[in-house]
Amino acid sequence: MSTSPQPSPSGRSGGPSRPSRRGLLAVGGALGLGGLLTACGGGSSDKADKASGAGADSGSWTFKDDRGETARTKKTPKQVVAFTGTAAALHDFGFECAAVFGPTELKDGKPDPQAGDLDIGKVTILGNAWGEFNVEKYAALAPDLLVTNMLQGSELWYVPDGSKKKILALAPSVGINVTKVSLTKVIGRYAELAGSLGADLKAKKVTDAKARFEKASETLRKAARDKKGLKVLCASGSADLLYVSDPAVYADLAYFRSLGVEFVVPGKVTGGFFESLSWENAGKYAADVILLDNRTAALQPKDLEAKPTWAGLPAVKAGQITPWLSEPRYSYAGCAPLVERLAAAIEKAEKVS
C-alpha cells in the first residue's frame, strides 16, 4: 500500500503508517497464505456428518484443531466465543455462540455480511473491527472455548497480538485453517466441530442446506463448461491499489476452480496473497467477469466509478461485476448462495476481453 492516508485494517481512515501483514489481509481482500498447515487430512463432509454428537456427552470434551493442538474441557463447552464468521458458520450447523469478535454490525445497525444469519442483538459483541477485543468483557463471560479461523499459519484470526496472551489464558482455543484447502474441507471441519459441541448435523435445516450447496455446485460446473474460456478475476479495491487475488490461496476459489471456473492467476504475487496493482495498471489482466470483494473495508463499484482505469475495464463496461464475499462463512447454508451467485454471473456473462 502507498504511504498516503488509507483505510486501516478496521476500515476506518488511518494515518500514513504501513499496516501489519495481518492488517493488510484484513483490508486488502487477501484471505491469507501464511504457512501451509500440515494438518489438512480428513474433515470431509461424510466424516463430518458422522461426527454428530461427538463430545456432546457429560464427560470430558476434546477437539484437535488445525494447529495440531487438542483443546480439552471437563465437559462440552457451552460458553463459546468466536470470530463473527465462525460463529455464523456454527449457527448454520445448529450451535449458538455466546459472544463474537470481528466485523459484526454496520454503521446503520444492520448485520455485517460476515455475520450471516446471526441475530446480532442476541450475542455479546467483544469487538467490531480489527484490533478490537474487550478482554475484560470476555473474562466476565467465563468462556469455555474460543474459536476462529487461521489464515496465516497458526495465527488466530482477529485475536489481537497485544492482548493474545491474556485472551488465550482464559479458555482453550480452536483454530480452523481456511487457506490452501478446498471449501468442502473447511465446511467439513466446521461441521465436525459443531457436531462435537452437540449440534444435530442430521437436522433438516442442515441437510437441506447441504443439498442446496451440492445442487448449486453442479449448476456452476455446467455453467463453467458451457462458457469455457471465460476469464474471472478476483479483486479487492482500495484508494490507491487494486489487489488481484491468487485463487490458489482461497478455499472458495480453489473449489470453484475444481468445478471448472477459469480464473486469472496474477503473475507477481507478493507474499503469497495477491498482486498489488496501481490504478494506472488496473488493466494488466484481461478478464470477462470481476469478482469484487464486498467486505465493508473494501471499495465497492460506486466508490470506484471515478477511477478512469476501472471504468475502462471491459468487464466493468459490460456490467459483468459480481460481489465476492472473500471471507465466507464456512457452512453449506453460508456458501450455497455464493456458488449460486457465481453460477448465475457466469451463465449471463459474455466474452469481452
Side-chain angles (χ1 to χ4, degrees):
M1 289 180 142
S2 74
T3 56
S4 60
Q6 59 195 354
S8 71
S10 68
R12 297 170 182 166
S13 178
S17 62
R18 185 180 180 87
S20 68
R21 187 168 179 238
R22 291 173 68 200
L24 187 61
L25 293 179
V27 74
L31 285 191
L33 170 67
L36 175 60
L37 302 179
T38 57
C40 292
S44 69
S45 57
D46 289 340
K47 290 181 180 178
D49 287 344
K50 292 177 183 177
S52 178
D57 55 27
S58 58
S60 62
W61 177 91
T62 63
F63 187 88
K64 187 174 183 180
D65 74 358
D66 291 342
R67 295 171 295 184
E69 298 181 8
T70 299
R72 303 176 186 276
T73 58
K74 292 182 179 180
K75 57 183 179 180
T76 304
K78 300 299 181 186
Q79 284 288 94
V80 177
V81 176
F83 171 67
T84 302
T86 295
L90 292 173
H91 165 85
D92 292 339
F93 284 115
F95 181 84
E96 303 299 333
C97 292
V100 298
F101 55 94
T104 306
E105 186 177 13
L106 300 177
K107 291 180 180 179
D108 60 6
K110 294 180 180 179
D112 186 276
Q114 292 188 68
D117 293 333
L118 287 177
D119 184 342
I120 63 173
K122 292 185 177 180
V123 294
T124 299
I125 300 174
L126 301 177
N128 197 46
W130 184 263
E132 293 181 1
F133 195 114
N134 191 319
V135 181
E136 290 74 18
K137 189 181 288 188
Y138 177 61
L141 290 169
D144 297 321
L145 182 70
L146 180 144
V147 189
T148 187
N149 295 330
M150 296 189 303
L151 287 73
Q152 297 175 262
S154 60
E155 291 185 6
L156 299 177
W157 192 231
Y158 266 78
V159 176
D161 288 334
S163 52
K164 180 171 61 177
K165 287 186 179 180
K166 292 181 180 179
I167 292 168
L168 297 183
L170 292 168
S173 61
V174 164
I176 301 296
N177 179 39
V178 301
T179 59
K180 281 203 165 184
V181 289
S182 181
L183 184 63
T184 50
K185 168 152 183 79
V186 185
I187 293 174
R189 285 293 276 155
Y190 270 116
E192 183 183 354
L193 176 59
S196 79
L197 293 169
D200 180 8
L201 301 185
K202 299 297 183 183
K204 188 175 185 301
K205 174 185 175 182
V206 179
T207 57
D208 283 354
K210 184 177 181 181
R212 179 182 174 184
F213 175 85
E214 291 172 344
K215 181 180 179 181
S217 297
E218 288 308 309
T219 301
L220 178 56
R221 189 193 304 275
K222 182 179 183 301
R225 184 175 62 245
D226 292 346
K227 293 294 180 72
K228 189 172 179 60
L230 200 76
K231 291 289 186 179
V232 179
L233 181 144
C234 302
S236 180
S238 73
D240 302 313
L241 297 170
L242 179 69
Y243 302 93
V244 178
S245 298
D246 181 355
V249 177
Y250 305 78
D252 56 343
L253 304 185
Y255 181 64
F256 300 156
R257 189 158 62 171
S258 76
L259 297 177
V261 177
E262 297 180 41
F263 287 104
V264 170
V265 179
K268 293 185 178 180
V269 175
T270 302
F273 308 109
F274 48 78
E275 180 173 354
S276 303
L277 300 177
S278 65
W279 281 108
E280 290 80 4
N281 295 310
K284 178 177 179 179
Y285 297 106
D288 306 296
V289 175
I290 296 176
L291 277 179
L292 189 67
D293 188 350
N294 73 342
R295 291 179 299 170
T296 52
L299 298 184
Q300 300 309 302
K302 61 180 176 58
D303 305 315
L304 297 171
E305 289 175 355
K307 295 186 179 295
T309 51
W310 169 260
L313 295 176
V316 175
K317 286 183 176 180
Q320 294 178 174
I321 307 168
T322 190
W324 174 37
L325 185 58
S326 62
E327 285 190 65
R329 68 188 202 265
Y330 295 100
S331 66
Y332 296 116
C335 291
L338 309 184
V339 182
E340 291 169 347
R341 185 164 63 193
L342 179 57
I346 290 176
E347 286 172 345
K348 296 175 183 176
E350 299 296 336
K351 186 73 177 174
V352 295
S353 64

